[in-house]
Amino acid sequence: MTALGDTVPQRTAPQARGGLGQSVSDSLVVAKRNLIRMTRIPEMIIFGLIQPIMFVVLFSYVFGGSMQIGASTSPQVYREFLMAGIFAQTVTFATAGAGAGIADDMHKGLIDRFRSLPMTRGAVLTGRTLADLVQTTLTLVVLAIVALLVGWRIHEGIPKALAAFALLLLLGYAFSWIGALIGLSVRTPEAATSGGLIWLFPVTFISNAFVDSSKLPSWLQPIAEWNPFSATVQACRELFGNPGVSPSDAWPMQHPVWASLLWSLLIIVVFRTLSVRKYRSATA
């Protein structure tokens, strides 16, 4: 007599069909899920807007009259110099939110539920980073309005300004993959938030975002000039037509638009690969 256990087929998780089309479709579904979740927790968006607005107001009015840009100490000149750095800081600080969100999904077991569905593995992370990109875009729009109110202006026309914002969003998307890797590597959302911020402070402040990098100590200047963050800030200043830093022989400062593109694409390739590999090993 055949045992009952031998006659009942074992259930296995359905397999994804694979292919680029399937991956894109799955990623968009996950992105939609995360966007719906954001709309149901509006304080996430509100608090995400308050911090960059505070940075704009504090730096503009507290430090604006004491900073020298070129030969000028005008607060208006510093505000135009400052805004590219604030924009870049805002999109990169979204990294902490991306890491915390993924860590929260891991902690609550949601990732295990995704594993039971016939979907591509990388779609879970790609969908999350795309949703964060949408939220970052909204934040940039609000921040640009606030910047215009405090005196920031663009001088090179709308097309170049849009190109600058595109570089900012690309940098933010690239850094969100660093956040994804951090979120997969820690045990709690709180640890992901701390781990996502602690390394961002030296990246954003050892740069040309808030001061002219030529004013930094000589041993810090090369670090600031080859910082991917600095390349995007300098590219945005050129595209916005805002005051920039003192001339430098460093290649990223001579060709900031190309440097920004190359740095962002390199970060995406490296950290997406590492994140997907980490995700597969964590859920295997």
Side-chain angles (χ1 to χ4, degrees):
M1 183 176 179
T2 305
L4 180 61
D6 296 334
T7 61
V8 178
Q10 294 183 346
R11 292 185 178 182
T12 58
Q15 298 295 315
R17 294 189 296 273
L20 179 60
Q22 178 70 17
S23 179
V24 171
S25 176
D26 292 344
S27 298
L28 292 177
V29 169
V30 176
K32 181 180 178 181
R33 173 257 173 190
N34 282 286
L35 288 172
I36 292 174
R37 180 172 178 265
M38 290 176 186
T39 60
R40 291 176 179 173
I41 313 176
E43 54 267 29
M44 292 175 58
I45 300 176
I46 294 173
F47 291 149
L49 291 172
I50 291 175
Q51 179 179 300
I53 292 174
M54 288 178 60
F55 271 110
V56 171
V57 175
L58 289 174
F59 274 86
S60 296
Y61 292 102
V62 176
F63 300 112
S66 59
M67 295 290 187
Q68 181 174 343
I69 304 301
S72 175
T73 57
S74 167
Q76 175 62 28
V77 171
Y78 182 68
R79 284 172 198 149
E80 294 204 354
F81 172 87
L82 170 71
M83 283 316 306
I86 294 291
F87 288 145
Q89 184 191 55
T90 300
V91 300
T92 54
F93 270 37
T95 299
I102 291 174
D104 187 50
D105 288 344
M106 292 283 290
H107 185 67
K108 292 180 178 178
L110 184 64
I111 299 298
D112 291 331
R113 300 178 189 176
F114 284 137
R115 287 186 62 209
S116 67
L117 300 176
M119 62 189 302
T120 54
R121 294 291 179 87
V124 175
L125 303 179
T126 302
R128 174 73 208 198
T129 55
L130 288 175
D132 290 329
L133 181 63
V134 173
Q135 183 178 0
T136 301
T137 303
L138 174 62
T139 303
L140 269 183
V141 170
V142 175
L143 191 58
I145 295 172
V146 174
L148 290 170
L149 292 176
V150 301
W152 172 70
R153 296 293 183 267
I154 59 174
H155 305 283
E156 294 293 333
I158 299 299
K160 286 189 176 183
L162 292 177
F165 283 117
L167 288 178
L168 288 165
L169 291 174
L170 183 62
L171 179 71
Y173 184 69
F175 273 50
S176 70
W177 282 106
I178 302 177
L181 182 61
I182 293 172
L184 291 167
S185 303
V186 298
R187 296 182 180 181
T188 65
E190 293 80 8
T193 301
S194 299
L197 287 175
I198 193 169
W199 63 275
L200 277 173
F201 282 102
V203 168
T204 54
F205 282 93
I206 305 177
S207 71
N208 59 3
F210 307 111
V211 298
D212 189 336
S213 55
S214 66
K215 303 294 192 298
L216 295 174
S218 58
W219 62 275
L220 275 181
Q221 289 179 24
I223 299 175
E225 291 168 347
W226 284 88
N227 185 344
F229 185 84
S230 294
T232 300
V233 172
Q234 183 70 2
C236 289
R237 285 184 180 132
E238 286 193 2
L239 293 170
F240 289 142
N242 295 153
V245 297
S246 301
S248 168
D249 294 331
W251 186 85
M253 297 297 99
Q254 292 290 327
H255 309 278
V257 174
W258 284 108
S260 176
L261 281 171
L262 292 174
W263 272 123
S264 294
L265 292 175
L266 179 62
I267 292 171
I268 292 172
V269 170
V270 171
F271 282 92
R272 187 184 189 281
T273 302
L274 293 175
S275 296
V276 172
R277 185 178 301 172
K278 182 70 176 179
Y279 173 79
R280 288 174 176 169
S281 64
T283 59

